[in-house]
Amino acid sequence: VKSKVTMFVALGTRELLTRPWCAGEISTAIESKRKIVFIRTPEFIEPTGAQLDNIQDYVDWCGCSLVKYGILLVDVSVSFRRLLDPEGLATHIRLQADMTSSTRLEVAV
């Protein structure tokens, strides 16, 4: 993401923000000032402010750490907030539950 990507697309599934490697990719994309498209699926559940404040408990770290890549917990929390802000740096696309698969694809592309 840091060097070879010009646009980063985050597919907002139920688990997206709980996965450590997704957290790292999102943080890196935001830190590297990439164009970001955030596609919210109907299954996406936005974390609360309290969950973002306690990112160490919200993300399922599975014993891994992003620190060796220069990404701190505070970086993840700030990046998630920036990604989720509809007035922020990411372009938001919201997919509706009643859309067919082909319509969802057309909207996303």
Side-chain angles (χ1 to χ4, degrees), residues 70-99:
I71 302 169
L72 306 175
L73 292 175
V74 68
D75 299 328
V76 173
S77 180
V78 168
S79 294
F80 282 3
R81 289 178 194 278
R82 292 183 72 195
L83 175 74
L84 296 170
D85 180 0
E87 303 300 319
L89 53 92
T91 299
H92 285 232
I93 297 172
R94 188 176 297 270
L95 302 180
Q96 302 300 323
D98 61 347
M99 290 178 171

Side-chain angles (χ1 to χ4, degrees), residues 7 11 18-19 24 27 33 36 61-62 72 77 87 90 102:
M7 179 180 289
L11 183 61
T18 65
R19 302 290 186 226
S27 297
K33 297 179 176 36
I36 298 173
W61 296 104
C62 322
L72 306 175
S77 180
E87 303 300 319
S102 59

Side-chain angles (χ1 to χ4, degrees), residues 10-75:
L11 183 61
T13 62
R14 181 180 303 271
E15 291 87 17
L16 173 71
L17 300 182
T18 65
R19 302 290 186 226
W21 300 117
C22 294
E25 298 265 339
I26 291 166
S27 297
T28 301
I30 288 174
E31 178 67 26
S32 301
K33 297 179 176 36
R34 300 295 180 241
K35 287 185 178 181
I36 298 173
V37 176
F38 180 43
I39 302 173
R40 290 177 179 248
T41 67
E43 296 79 24
F44 180 75
I45 299 171
E46 188 162 332
T48 65
Q51 288 171 315
L52 293 174
D53 289 341
N54 296 301
I55 204 73
Q56 70 276 2
D57 295 328
Y58 180 70
V59 175
D60 181 9
W61 296 104
C62 322
C64 62
S65 172
L66 300 175
V67 173
K68 64 182 172 183
Y69 303 103
I71 302 169
L72 306 175
L73 292 175
V74 68
D75 299 328

